[in-house]
Amino acid sequence: MVMDSKGRLIMVTDEIKNNVIVYDKSGKLLKTWTHDLKSAHGLTLSKEGEVDMLYITDNDGAILKTTVDGKVLMELPNPHKIGVYEKDQKYRPTETAVGPNGDIYVADGYGSDFILQYSKDGEFIRKFGGRGFEDRFVQYDPWCYHR
């Protein structure tokens, strides 16, 4: 759930009939809309200038950038379709984050544990992380605190 710049509470659901539910601060239902996502999971609010944008993450692989009224502005490419993942690697994204420059980071938390980075225009930049001892500890060295 996120709160937009107008103070509305916006919630994502995995109910196909209403993937997004919008309430006012008092809890009054304002509207619902859907993109028929069966496993909608993550919701991120980002600002582009003064305009609120939503990033909706579906565990089945879709990442949609929409207006707060539900108009789809962009869908990020699936890493299998652009050759970033091997055929046997699972892709089950869980959440997104948007950097100060607009780059979009996708956490593949239920799949192969990678972080995928895309430009603000949806172009793939890189992947990092993943499964295995070395990948998990590349960013964090517990011994550096004991020296």
Side-chain angles (χ1 to χ4, degrees):
M1 180 183 295
V2 297
M3 182 179 283
D4 72 4
S5 61
K6 295 180 181 177
R8 299 176 296 186
L9 297 169
I10 303 172
M11 186 173 97
V12 68
T13 77
D14 60 2
E15 171 55 56
I16 293 175
K17 294 177 186 174
N18 56 350
N19 287 139
V20 176
I21 303 172
V22 183
Y23 299 97
D24 69 12
K25 286 184 203 178
S26 72
K28 178 183 174 193
L29 176 65
L30 298 175
K31 63 183 158 187
T32 67
W33 48 269
T34 190
H35 289 296
D36 299 322
L37 301 172
K38 293 183 264 179
S39 299
H41 183 278
L43 181 65
T44 301
L45 179 77
S46 179
K47 301 267 292 174
E48 288 186 10
E50 296 300 313
V51 180
D52 291 330
M53 297 292 164
L54 297 175
Y55 288 84
I56 302 169
T57 306
D58 183 80
N59 289 152
D60 283 342
I63 309 286
L64 303 178
K65 175 185 177 182
T66 73
T67 65
V68 292
D69 294 321
K71 179 181 176 188
V72 176
L73 303 173
M74 177 174 57
E75 182 169 355
L76 292 180
N78 184 301
H80 285 111
K81 293 181 181 175
I82 58 173
V84 173
Y85 273 26
E86 301 295 323
K87 188 176 183 180
D88 63 337
Q89 289 180 303
K90 290 182 185 178
Y91 180 57
R92 303 239 14 239
T94 54
E95 189 59 90
T96 59
V98 180
N101 68 347
D103 281 2
I104 306 156
Y105 297 84
V106 177
D108 181 14
Y110 294 153
S112 296
D113 298 332
F114 287 110
I115 302 294
L116 305 170
Q117 182 181 359
Y118 296 87
S119 74
K120 65 179 180 175
D121 299 317
E123 297 169 7
F124 178 75
I125 297 173
R126 67 182 175 139
K127 74 176 181 183
F128 56 94
R131 295 197 172 154
F133 179 79
E134 289 184 31
D135 286 336
R136 285 189 293 198
F137 293 98
V138 167
Q139 302 288 329
Y140 171 71
D141 178 5
W143 297 106
C144 71
Y145 296 104
H146 300 287
R147 293 183 191 149

